[in-house]
Amino acid sequence: MEEGRLCQWSVCRSLLAIVQWWGFNVTVIIINKWIFQKLDFKFPLSVSCVHFITSSFGAYMVIKVLKLKPLIVVDPEDRWKRIFPMSFVFCINIVLGNVSLRYIPVSFMQTIKSFTPATTVILQWLVWRKYFDWRIWASLIPIVGGILLTSITELSFNMFGFCAALFGCLATSTKTILAESLLHGYKFDSINTVYYMAPFATLILGVPAMLLEGNGIMEWFETHPSPWPALIIIFSSGVLAFCLNFSIFYVIHSTTAVTFNVAGNLKVAVAVLISWMIFKNPISGLNAVGCGITLVGCTFYGYVRHLLSQQPPGTPRTPRTPRNRMEQLLPLVNNNDKLDDKI
């Protein structure tokens, strides 16, 4: 009887974690698109900077004031040698995501983001000469095919937004691959990651945002009919973006890797559906099919990775044994490589 109740509570906890993760993730994406399209605040660098600032403050409150998470102490020298380079890639990743939202629909952007597993594998194979099991390569076929079909049939295609989303996938892959080597010895969770990286990202992005978008923001402030309510929405998106990072921490600790992978792909489908209902961007039948093929491919990729990780000791795995120290520093990413660093 007691075991049954514990099992029910475990299931309910997992469902609650997934639902709140979906809620924060979809809300952040929709609000960011709303800011660019409906509020006519077409300044992705500044929106990203607002997210970094609010997330820095939120992480400080959670760790230092409320003490909900213990602080992972990092050596001062490592903050510049390790954290700062990661923060630079982290910053590029977030900015490119917001830039792509500025120019292409949420449905198209989310589908392209699903290309990240493929870019991770290809990048490791080309640059670091890692070799993978044939099942990994086979699982990438529907992902690549779905992305190609979606891109060809996208009715609101914009080359600049497409390139921004694609390079965002490369930035995500690079960040994930480098994290293990640069952050070796530190077991960061999502909150501590934000605590250390968001302030650096603010420093990196603050000056370019002011130089490139400062005059435009002043002009927008003077011409917009309701600037103050709009600014409240913009800063609220930053608060929700931090809450998303907290929800990621919760869902990882409440679900299995397989559940997390499937839920992540279903989350994309939910985001696509809700964005279509709100923004009414045209989606052709073939475009929807391409998106579906991509999501199925991502789920299959996660399943294959899980199967390979469950092989008993002594069984040949993928990738093969590294040939040099550089390869030892850059191992395969795990199922959490689909985490959206939406701050």
Side-chain angles (χ1 to χ4, degrees), residues 35-328:
I35 289 169
F36 296 133
Q37 185 169 320
K38 300 296 184 180
L39 299 183
D40 201 35
F41 190 83
K42 303 183 185 299
F43 309 105
L45 298 184
S46 299
V47 170
S48 301
C49 208
V50 168
H51 288 189
F52 292 145
I53 293 171
T54 53
S55 294
S56 299
F57 179 76
Y60 179 85
M61 291 294 295
V62 168
I63 293 176
K64 289 289 190 177
V65 179
L66 301 177
K67 300 187 184 301
L68 298 177
K69 280 292 298 175
L71 174 65
I72 297 175
V73 180
V74 177
D75 185 79
E77 185 178 353
D78 284 344
R79 295 187 185 186
W80 289 101
K81 287 185 176 181
R82 299 187 181 189
I83 304 295
F84 184 78
M86 280 296 301
S87 300
F88 184 78
V89 181
F90 174 73
C91 178
I92 292 175
N93 177 35
I94 302 302
V95 169
L96 288 174
N98 284 329
V99 169
S100 65
L101 271 180
R102 161 76 171 78
Y103 292 97
I104 60 177
V106 172
S107 56
F108 190 30
M109 179 263 196
Q110 285 289 288
T111 305
I112 297 173
K113 287 286 288 182
S114 299
F115 194 54
T116 300
T119 57
T120 303
V121 171
I122 294 171
L123 195 63
Q124 288 184 306
W125 177 66
L126 287 175
V127 179
W128 289 284
R129 298 298 181 183
K130 282 184 176 292
Y131 289 86
F132 298 90
D133 189 282
W134 67 270
R135 287 169 289 184
I136 291 289
W137 291 108
S139 69
L140 297 181
I141 294 175
I143 298 177
V144 176
I147 292 292
L148 288 175
L149 181 59
T150 304
S151 302
I152 293 171
T153 59
E154 175 57 47
L155 300 177
S156 304
F157 185 85
N158 179 281
M159 180 57 73
F160 187 75
F162 171 76
C163 290
L166 194 59
F167 281 108
C169 290
L170 289 172
T172 302
S173 299
T174 303
K175 177 179 68 68
T176 306
I177 294 169
L178 293 179
E180 185 68 21
S181 58
L182 290 177
L183 303 182
H184 178 70
Y186 297 107
K187 295 183 178 180
F188 280 106
D189 52 58
S190 58
I191 306 301
N192 274 277
T193 298
V194 172
Y195 179 84
Y196 283 107
M197 293 189 184
F200 276 133
T202 304
L203 292 175
I204 293 169
L205 191 60
V207 174
M210 287 189 292
L211 293 177
L212 297 175
E213 299 179 346
N215 292 334
I217 292 175
M218 294 302 297
E219 183 178 345
W220 172 87
F221 196 86
E222 293 173 356
T223 57
H224 195 276
S226 305
W228 292 109
L231 286 177
I232 292 176
I233 294 175
I234 293 170
F235 277 94
S236 297
S237 72
V239 174
L240 290 171
F242 169 73
C243 292
L244 171 59
N245 284 278
F246 204 84
S247 71
I248 289 172
F249 168 78
Y250 182 42
V251 76
I252 288 174
H253 287 77
S254 302
T255 61
T256 63
V258 174
T259 302
F260 181 80
N261 176 65
V262 174
N265 292 302
L266 290 176
K267 170 183 63 66
V268 175
V270 172
V272 169
L273 178 61
I274 294 178
S275 69
W276 175 78
M277 293 172 62
I278 294 176
F279 299 105
K280 305 295 183 183
N281 57 287
I283 300 178
S284 66
L286 283 176
N287 190 263
V289 170
C291 180
I293 292 173
T294 303
L295 297 182
V296 170
C298 288
T299 304
F300 181 54
Y301 168 83
Y303 176 70
V304 170
R305 291 296 307 275
H306 176 71
L307 284 181
L308 293 174
S309 69
Q310 296 301 308
Q311 289 180 349
T315 305
R317 295 190 179 187
T318 179
R320 53 103 177 106
T321 303
R323 289 181 296 187
N324 54 50
R325 180 169 175 76
M326 176 58 72
E327 292 190 17
Q328 290 175 337

